[in-house]
Amino acid sequence: MANGADRLDLDGKPIKPMTICMIGAGGFIGSHLCEKLMTETPHKVLALDVYNDKIKHLLEPDTVQWAGRIQFHRINIKHDSRLEGLIKMADLTINLAAICTPADYNTRPLDTIYSNFIDALPVVKYCSENNKRLIHFSTCEVYGKTIGSFLPKDHPLRQDPEFYVLKEDISPCIFGSIEKQRWSYACAKQLIERLVYAEGAENGLEFTIVRPFNWIGPRMDFIPGIDGPSEGVPRVLACFSNNLLRREPLKLVDGGESQRTFIYIKDAIEAVLLMIENPERANGHIFNVGNPNNEVTVRQLAEMMTEVYAKVSGETAIESPTIDVSSKEFYGEGYDDSDKRIPDMTIINRQLGWNPKTSLWDLLESTLTYQHTTYAEAIKKATSKPVAS
Amino acid sequence: MANGANRVDLDGKPIQPLTICMIGAGGFIGSHLCEKLLTETPHKVLALDVYNDKIKHLLEPDTVEWSGRIQFHRINIKHDSRLEGLVKMADLIINLAAICTPADYNTRPLDTIYSNFIDALPVVKYCSENNKRLIHFSTCEVYGKTIGSFLPKDHPLRDDPAFYVLKEDISPCIFGSIEKQRWSYACAKQLIERLVYAEGAENGLEFTIVRPFNWIGPRMDFIPGIDGPSEGVPRVLACFSNNLLRREPLKLVDGGESQRTFVYINDAIEAVLLMIENPERANGHIFNVGNPNNEVTVRQLAEMMTEVYAKVSGEGAIESPTVDVSSKEFYGEGYDDSDKRIPDMTIINRQLGWNPKTSLWDLLESTLTYQHRTYAEAVKKATSKPVAS
């Protein structure tokens, strides 16, 4: 690797080695970002999380080429006095913490609000007070529903991009009523974005906000009962992976009619690296990071995954690959959802020259190959054991 | 007054005397609510605020008939350890605190977010932990914009009530993008509502949420330079009152095309008293409190106020009663607004049998009579003095 050679930013200036404090480094996104930073850049990482399973391969053995450049700190940012000191040591803080799952938004809104708003406050405060740059990970959930979703079915304006394409600087944030508790997460994320933006406007905080649109890849979430709680409900791709691994029907919530876009984690990490290394172009902006070309309904996703999994596993697809369940049954009372989430890419193209590359078929093949390789044997063992009940 | 006589609730049951801890008692709404409680009910009030000018007439002299039933506590809830003890002493807590003004939302979003979300947290926590009932004052701002406002002008659906009438349990919360910092207030208020609702759903908190739609009456806000900061920008009615008192043109932001509904404070306070005294009917609900029959554009409001003020003051109306200013000039960069705010009254009618009574003309006459009587002499003196500059 040309780690130390003259790497240049988008404006042709040499990129200086940075110390990066990464909060939530042990999660899915954090693990891929750490990997990228270690293998392709000279930057140093202070990796903060409560778990490090997904970055174990970067921390051991001591003989790896980047050994001195990554330090793991077991910290829960909610109540750890070491946080401020670590932020002071860094040039840049990346906050990936508290990415929740839809099942939690609906049934545990108090925890959701606290972990996504209140627990993020100290990070913003320390960055602002210590003049440190912040890359804040948010969510495409802040857009909520589309304007078009309120129009009568078959209304012509539903096809107008202005009524469904999501633009960082123009599109509104539309959430359902208070009793639809599912929106607690989106609302907490919207308010912390507004606070970060306000710190920038009032106190000069150098910030960048990232809105991920379904980043998919190896190490995403967990498989219930294997490397996460057996009653846990991860996000849609991990849920479907779990169903495929166990040769169970894939559960489609409310018919799986919601439309979503999916992007390969490695494409997304390229975008994040550009933000890290181009502060003049990234500071003060909010960026959608997604792939508008990879849009499917959740039902179509299930069909594609079934087909791809049969290919990578060598097993035949099961007879009835999907089953419909209601959102109430799956997520609980008060669930509500967005119909469509297509990111506009104008700002990220203009500021960072970034475009996603990987098709949905390719990203599913890569991800499901990993899922099969990693979990198939463990699932076989788990399902063959008698379970006390 | 039949203060102690057998007053009954809407279900015919005797109303027990309550001890009410009122946070923000010294504000506009608080002053009218205290007055109502002391003159028409046997309830006791612990009045918490940092100022008490607007309730001075209720605190002195000691010989008034209700003197033992109201205690003023000078407390800033942001950092006062006495708050929890006072919550424990009460049967019901009413939180009116931190009602801000649009000029602050836009230019001081950090203070807005802290005062409207973070500073409200201890109140909710203490009520939940001590099993105390909470009436939480929110704002109609949580509805944000209407769905109809995104449709092309003259589109037929713009006139469909489903696209503009605001229902507590159905209508979405629609805010502009993050750079429209004006929505910081609405977003903080939405999130605290979600937290209150979640405390109810998860921890059994008995709560009622009130969404006021432009409550208008004597003692509203302040007159800049007289009983508030001279550079302060109060809400629209107080702003226009100030212009009328000084015989200046009324400033219409962006042509004054926004439509709003106004309700008389005495009508609104009747609704609040019904909530206080009918917990079984009020708990767990969010209530719009407004008057859908009193809808006008801000420009029309200005015209009506000019006419009413000329009548109550006996002075002729000035030649050019209004002047147009841009929102950027008046509120600062990033301002945005709702086009229309009509409250649906179904839930408050059904649960509490309440309807507003007072017409817009009558409420303006009552309010402007008060403004003229209270401030005309002071403004005259202030404008006749030379001001060092």
Side-chain angles (χ1 to χ4, degrees), chain B residues 97-111:
Chain B
I99 294 174
C100 296
T101 58
D104 287 332
Y105 314 160
N106 215 52
T107 57
R108 293 171 54 225
L110 280 178
D111 283 341

Side-chain angles (χ1 to χ4, degrees), chain A residues 226-238:
Chain A
I226 305 297
D227 55 356
S230 55
E231 72 285 355
V233 183
R235 287 171 288 186
V236 67
L237 187 121

Side-chain angles (χ1 to χ4, degrees), chain B residues 126-287:
Chain B
Y126 296 150
C127 288
S128 187
E129 289 177 353
N130 292 287
N131 295 313
K132 302 292 180 175
R133 203 180 145 214
L134 171 66
I135 294 182
H136 173 82
F137 269 71
S138 182
T139 173
C140 61
E141 285 282 325
V142 301
Y143 292 107
K145 299 179 166 222
T146 61
I147 304 163
S149 67
F150 295 94
L151 296 170
K153 278 198 193 304
D154 300 329
H155 193 283
L157 287 177
R158 274 199 180 234
D159 295 324
D160 183 338
F163 285 75
Y164 66 81
V165 174
L166 304 170
K167 302 183 174 210
E168 302 92 328
D169 51 345
I170 290 173
S171 300
C173 306
I174 305 181
F175 305 155
S177 66
I178 300 298
E179 65 189 46
K180 300 293 192 187
Q181 295 197 90
R182 176 245 188 282
W183 299 107
S184 301
Y185 172 65
C187 189
K189 283 301 209 188
Q190 182 189 163
L191 191 61
I192 191 70
E193 279 199 29
R194 291 192 183 276
L195 187 128
V196 168
Y197 191 95
E199 283 282 356
E202 291 185 58
N203 295 329
L205 172 69
E206 293 177 75
F207 73 88
T208 301
I209 292 173
V210 181
R211 290 180 180 163
F213 282 70
N214 286 308
W215 297 10
I216 301 290
R219 301 197 291 273
M220 185 182 186
D221 288 2
F222 58 93
I223 297 297
I226 306 297
D227 56 355
S230 55
E231 73 285 354
V233 183
R235 286 171 289 186
V236 66
L237 187 121
C239 250
F240 285 173
S241 297
N242 184 45
N243 296 144
L244 290 166
L245 284 156
R246 296 174 190 279
R247 297 187 66 75
E248 296 166 355
L250 278 58
K251 290 175 179 163
L252 299 181
V253 176
D254 292 338
E257 294 305 318
S258 296
Q259 293 163 278
R260 290 293 185 270
T261 63
F262 299 88
V263 64
Y264 188 41
I265 183 66
N266 289 354
D267 289 348
I269 291 297
E270 290 280 355
V272 180
L273 185 57
L274 287 167
M275 293 174 206
I276 290 169
E277 297 187 330
N278 292 276
E280 291 83 18
R281 287 172 169 255
N283 284 346
H285 289 284
I286 300 176
F287 292 110

Side-chain angles (χ1 to χ4, degrees), chain A residues 48-63:
Chain A
L48 283 61
D49 213 317
V50 293
Y51 301 109
N52 64 12
D53 312 59
K54 296 184 202 273
I55 53 175
K56 188 81 66 170
H57 64 296
L58 301 174
L59 301 175
E60 300 162 7
D62 290 351
T63 50

